[in-house]
Amino acid sequence: MIASPHPAAPDRVAAAGSLTPPMAPPSRRVTDAPTRVFHWLFALCFAGAYLTADGERWRLVHVVLGYTFAGLLGFRVLYGLIGPRQARLAALGRKLAAAPGWWRSVRGAVWPPQPAGLAAASRQGQNLAMAGVIAGLLLAVLPLTLSGYATFHDWGGEWLEEVHEFFGNTLLALALLHVGLLAALSVWRRQNLARPMLSGRIAGRGPDLAARNHSGLAALLLIAVLAYWAWEWQHAPARPTDTAGAPAAWLQRDHGDDDDD
């Protein structure tokens, strides 16, 4: 007669099976690595340039970050023209071009009231607002950096400094609006909308919108920025000092405050 298995055997098998690690929730890639690296370098350069805008002590840092800012914009435009489909600037343009149709759908859903139509128009309006802020951020970079370059070389006088300051404050307002919209929509939709710029992925099933991550290009972008910063550091002019030890450049350029005495 064949002996029956030990009664505890099924329990041991179940216990062993319970040690299998749970499967990760499904997700799909929607943002590639170059786009994410650009985004964070872009934010870092603007924040650093804005914080170092006043005073001669950090003037060179301000200028270098401004040049980097302009170079990053050039990369984004080029990548948006010849890069993969999900990174194309044409997608941003299509969202903005849908604004007239969105407005007509809003008016049609208001009266007679159509809750389903209003809900769809609301979501599209949220996407339009985010696209408009992003477009404003990109468009403000060119006049900001050009006016900064001219100001650095003392072209145009004080009115150009005021133009530079205006676009700097405008870009700051747009950046804060971007962050505020992102936070509000994340709460409204109950999902972390900043996640794609951190991991490149969103939760859910489906095909990857970004078929390839292009990690090599992202690494090259980061290396190029760091190499430029290192080059500027190595070639930074030494600040001469007067006999009292104060930098002479500070004494020579005081924004005209001493000229009126």
Side-chain angles (χ1 to χ4, degrees):
M1 182 175 63
I2 301 176
S4 60
H6 195 279
D11 295 337
R12 289 197 298 269
V13 172
S18 65
L19 298 178
T20 303
M23 295 182 61
S27 65
R28 56 195 186 117
R29 184 168 54 237
V30 295
T31 309
D32 59 14
T35 303
R36 301 198 305 274
V37 170
F38 159 81
H39 176 274
W40 293 113
L41 286 174
F42 199 69
L44 174 65
C45 286
F46 174 70
Y50 193 88
L51 293 174
T52 56
D54 296 327
E56 292 295 329
R57 181 180 181 85
W58 300 102
R59 191 182 189 204
L60 184 58
V61 175
H62 176 78
V63 171
V64 170
L65 289 176
Y67 289 165
T68 309
F69 201 49
L72 287 169
L73 176 67
F75 166 82
R76 187 63 186 92
V77 170
L78 186 62
Y79 196 59
L81 293 175
I82 64 174
R85 182 182 299 273
Q86 85 284 344
R88 295 285 179 93
L89 293 176
L92 183 63
R94 286 193 296 269
K95 288 181 180 179
L96 296 176
W102 166 78
W103 178 241
R104 288 192 296 269
S105 66
V106 170
R107 289 189 302 175
V110 169
W111 191 262
Q114 301 177 20
L118 283 174
S122 174
R123 190 175 184 89
Q124 185 183 8
Q126 296 165 14
N127 294 334
L128 272 173
M130 187 64 73
V133 172
I134 293 173
L137 284 168
L138 296 176
L139 290 174
V141 175
L142 187 59
L144 175 65
T145 53
L146 288 178
S147 59
Y149 182 85
T151 300
F152 179 67
H153 290 279
D154 294 323
W155 300 343
E158 292 186 1
W159 72 270
L160 203 53
E161 292 184 13
E162 294 177 359
V163 170
H164 184 60
E165 183 177 354
F166 168 79
F167 280 106
N169 290 330
T170 299
L171 207 146
L172 175 64
L174 288 171
L176 294 176
L177 181 58
H178 174 66
V179 173
L181 274 174
L182 199 64
L185 293 180
S186 295
V187 174
W188 180 264
R189 299 182 184 182
R190 297 181 179 180
Q191 64 181 109
N192 185 1
L193 298 182
R195 182 179 178 181
M197 282 301 170
L198 295 171
S199 65
R201 310 187 73 87
I202 60 173
R205 300 183 182 276
D208 290 338
L209 295 183
R212 298 177 57 190
N213 198 35
H214 300 288
S215 301
L217 180 58
L220 285 176
L221 175 61
L222 180 59
I223 291 171
V225 170
L226 294 177
Y228 169 64
W229 288 351
W231 184 86
E232 286 284 6
W233 177 270
Q234 292 294 327
H235 292 80
R239 292 183 301 180
T241 57
D242 64 347
T243 56
W250 294 0
L251 301 177
Q252 295 171 3
R253 181 180 177 87
D254 197 18
H255 298 285
D257 293 341
D258 297 333
D259 296 339
D260 299 331
D261 295 341

